[in-house]
Amino acid sequence: MIYSPHPYQKYCIDRIIATDKLGLFLDMGLGKTSIVLSAIKDLKYNRFDVSKVLVIAPKKVAEGTWSKEKDKWEHTECLRVSRVLGSEKKRVKALYETADIYIINRENVTWLVDFYRNDWPFDMVVIDESSSFKSHKAKRFKALSSVTPRVKRIVELTGTPSPNGLNDLWAQLYLLDDGERLGKRYSGFKERYFDAGPRINGVVYKYSPKYGAEEAILSRISDICISMKAKDYLQLPDCIEHEIPVILSDKARKSYHELEKQMVMELPDGELSVSSAAALSNKLLQLANGAVYSEDKEVHEVHSSKIEAFLELVESLRASGKGALVFYNYRHDLMRIVKALSKCKDLRVRELKTQKDQDDWNNGEIDILLAHPASAAYGLNLQEGGNHVIWFGLTWNYEQYTQANKRLHRQGQSEKVIVHHLISQDTRDEDVIAALKQKENVQEAVMESLKARIKKIREGEHG
């Protein structure tokens, strides 16, 4: 696909090229990844300004998002990506591969710094979701800050640079300028811009910004930070689709393909009946989500890859003060989602059942509203409660899909609606999202895509 950046995207690309160390504080959905990839391509192959780029990202983003995004655009598909993930042996092997971009999850930053010690090879570092480095006490911050003076170019990406207040900015800015703008020490920054609250047993637990602190801080960092809100800059239709690739673990991928192969090969040659195609599709969709029903209706959890990606997305939205309307497909999806969210402190979760649930959501009293598209697709006005939809499990039913999205995307909605799809890679999820985009007849889509997979599997056996 040809990349035609919007004016704000072109501006950000130019700023990355012109500014060695830059904070790009853009709302979710503004295309941060494509912006940075475009700048990397220019810096490496047109300007010869960088040689090895390191991207630090949340685990699920590191696994799939960057590789998928660079393959999406014609001008960046030539970039070589090495994912420094998995066991230590796999990570070391990935570091020795020849590539333009090396992607690592943020939990392994300390290991990476220790691995290279005084021989740090990356002249450009991109920190995706830099707010995860907001704590000056964290090991990952201390490790990364020890090598940033040797890094020529740094780009920080986040939509929420200060999720808990202005004090979150110090560590992120320190990684950019080594303390030049907000001070060399956090204690000095805190003393200059904040007033101490009451002491409890000699300890101050809360600090409040001094009068004018926000304006002063933002003024000092404005030359190396760009902040944009989607409502001001997004030049897209009112409803934006956002695909989040979910990479299955080796074990989960093996289980999926074994089930797919066994069930497909049991089917007779020739035309598929609608019922057999639907049964097969249903089972594979369950497995793509992470669990399956056995013949006696018992739930068997196979993997947690999609749950992990879902929790990372919820965390990102939560940091920006956003809730989400979440659609699930199977009852076991709901059970596992509720169990996973129960570990998130202070998160208000509700299943949509009654009018009160609808009213509470619209009044901002619910953070995560869980619903099945069949029961929430029609007649509900939920647009006052949020602007983010998450599809944990997809449906083949195009009418239910579009009507469900319109619960938020309707008159009275004041913000752009962003619809997030969690797509398990190389699974039935990809077939469903493709069919939804093409608005195909559901039965025809089920049968034709299954035939294609049968052919692929059989060719693989004989190849």
Side-chain angles (χ1 to χ4, degrees):
M1 188 185 300
I2 300 297
Y3 184 62
S4 299
H6 297 285
Y8 75 86
Q9 292 176 317
K10 181 64 166 60
Y11 171 77
C12 292
I13 293 169
D14 291 342
R15 281 295 304 271
I16 292 174
I17 292 169
T19 310
D20 285 349
K21 299 187 177 182
L22 183 71
L24 208 55
F25 302 154
L26 306 187
D27 259 0
M28 185 180 295
L30 285 176
K32 295 189 285 286
T33 309
S34 64
I35 288 170
V36 176
L37 285 169
S38 300
I40 290 172
K41 169 68 183 305
D42 195 321
L43 287 168
K44 175 150 190 180
Y45 287 105
N46 296 338
R47 302 172 187 269
F48 308 105
D49 195 62
V50 298
S51 57
K52 294 183 76 171
V53 181
L54 175 70
V55 172
I56 302 168
K59 186 172 180 287
K60 290 299 176 184
V61 174
E63 287 178 342
T65 300
W66 282 82
S67 297
K68 192 172 182 68
E69 187 71 19
K70 74 95 179 173
D71 289 337
K72 179 179 179 180
W73 306 110
E74 186 178 274
H75 72 302
T76 58
E77 62 183 356
C78 64
L79 293 173
R80 298 162 298 177
V81 171
S82 179
R83 290 179 290 189
V84 188
L85 305 169
S87 66
E88 183 171 6
K89 184 178 179 180
K90 289 182 178 178
R91 297 198 299 270
V92 172
K93 182 180 178 182
L95 288 172
Y96 283 108
E97 289 181 5
T98 301
D100 302 307
I101 302 172
Y102 297 80
I103 304 176
I104 194 167
N105 56 305
R106 57 200 181 193
E107 291 81 6
N108 281 322
V109 168
T110 302
W111 170 85
L112 184 68
V113 173
D114 290 341
F115 178 80
Y116 281 114
R117 295 185 181 274
N118 294 321
D119 194 27
W120 184 259
F122 304 103
D123 51 4
M124 181 173 182
V125 173
V126 178
I127 308 173
D128 196 349
E129 294 302 333
S130 63
S131 57
S132 62
F133 284 80
K134 66 182 182 292
S135 172
H136 67 287
K137 296 180 180 179
K139 291 182 179 179
R140 68 178 69 157
F141 166 78
K142 292 178 180 178
L144 189 58
S145 63
S146 70
V147 296
T148 47
R150 286 180 268 159
V151 179
K152 182 180 180 181
R153 288 183 171 273
I154 299 176
V155 179
E156 292 184 354
L157 304 173
T158 183
T160 54
S162 52
N164 300 313
L166 293 170
N167 54 309
D168 288 344
L169 289 171
W170 182 85
Q172 295 173 78
L173 264 293
Y174 187 90
L175 293 175
L176 291 176
D177 69 359
D178 198 32
E180 178 183 337
R181 287 164 181 77
L182 298 183
K184 290 283 187 180
R185 296 185 178 279
Y186 179 72
S187 57
F189 166 74
K190 193 164 57 174
E191 183 178 338
R192 175 178 295 181
Y193 295 106
F194 297 85
D195 288 324
R199 292 182 177 272
I200 301 175
N201 295 326
V203 179
V204 177
Y205 290 95
K206 187 176 182 179
Y207 288 82
S208 302
K210 293 180 178 179
Y211 178 77
E214 181 174 0
E215 292 78 7
I217 291 172
L218 296 180
S219 175
R220 291 191 66 84
I221 68 175
S222 61
D223 61 322
I224 61 168
C225 293
I226 299 172
S227 179
M228 293 181 175
K229 293 295 182 184
K231 64 181 181 180
D232 298 324
Y233 291 93
L234 199 56
Q235 300 176 17
L236 294 173
D238 287 338
C239 189
I240 302 102
E241 294 185 355
H242 178 214
E243 289 186 27
I244 302 172
V246 177
I247 307 300
L248 301 185
S249 65
D250 291 342
K251 182 178 179 182
R253 192 182 303 111
K254 182 179 178 182
S255 296
Y256 181 94
H257 290 306
E258 282 180 355
L259 179 62
E260 181 182 53
K261 182 177 178 181
Q262 290 168 3
M263 295 188 71
V264 165
M265 298 312 291
E266 287 176 2
L267 296 174
D269 292 334
E271 293 293 314
L272 297 172
S273 69
V274 174
S275 61
S276 65
L280 172 57
S281 179
N282 185 49
K283 191 66 72 174
L284 293 176
L285 271 181
Q286 289 183 47
L287 190 52
N289 290 352
V292 292
Y293 287 116
S294 64
E295 302 242 345
D296 55 2
K297 299 299 181 182
E298 291 291 319
V299 177
H300 297 276
E301 186 165 4
V302 181
H303 66 84
S304 59
S305 300
K306 187 173 280 194
I307 284 286
E308 291 171 11
F310 170 71
L311 290 175
E312 286 186 355
L313 175 57
V314 169
E315 179 186 358
S316 179
L317 292 174
R318 190 183 182 192
S320 59
K322 299 289 187 179
L325 173 60
V326 179
F327 290 110
Y328 63 90
N329 198 358
Y330 303 100
R331 197 69 189 174
H332 59 62
D333 291 342
L334 174 64
M335 293 164 52
R336 291 182 300 119
I337 289 170
V338 170
K339 181 179 178 181
L341 291 177
S342 68
K343 300 175 184 177
C344 300
K345 187 178 179 181
D346 299 328
L347 192 67
R348 299 169 298 178
V349 180
R350 188 92 57 85
E351 184 181 358
L352 179 59
K353 294 180 179 179
T354 67
Q355 180 64 45
K356 187 177 189 310
D357 298 327
Q358 181 179 339
D359 294 340
D360 288 349
W361 163 261
N362 282 326
N363 291 330
E365 297 173 14
I366 300 174
D367 300 313
I368 301 295
L369 184 62
L370 302 165
H372 192 280
S375 61
Y378 306 98
L380 297 181
N381 292 302
L382 302 172
Q383 66 272 24
E384 294 178 16
N387 64 310
H388 287 267
V389 176
I390 301 175
W391 284 90
F392 180 87
L394 295 166
T395 175
W396 284 99
N397 191 313
Y398 180 74
E399 184 177 8
Q400 283 187 5
Y401 170 77
T402 53
Q403 289 295 327
N405 289 335
K406 287 180 180 178
R407 295 315 96 212
L408 300 188
H409 185 222
R410 59 197 296 112
Q411 187 173 355
Q413 174 61 254
S414 60
E415 298 184 72
K416 308 288 185 183
V417 172
I418 301 178
V419 182
H420 309 272
H421 308 89
L422 295 168
I423 309 295
S424 293
Q425 300 297 279
D426 196 27
T427 74
R428 201 74 175 127
D429 278 355
E430 294 179 333
D431 298 331
V432 180
I433 195 68
L436 290 172
K437 286 182 178 180
Q438 295 172 15
K439 306 179 184 179
E440 291 180 350
N441 175 276
V442 59
Q443 294 183 1
E444 181 182 345
V446 170
M447 290 171 58
E448 290 302 318
S449 59
L450 272 175
K451 288 177 185 177
R453 287 197 178 274
I454 289 172
K455 182 179 179 182
K456 180 179 177 181
I457 290 173
R458 286 177 174 166
E459 286 176 348
E461 282 197 337
H462 298 304

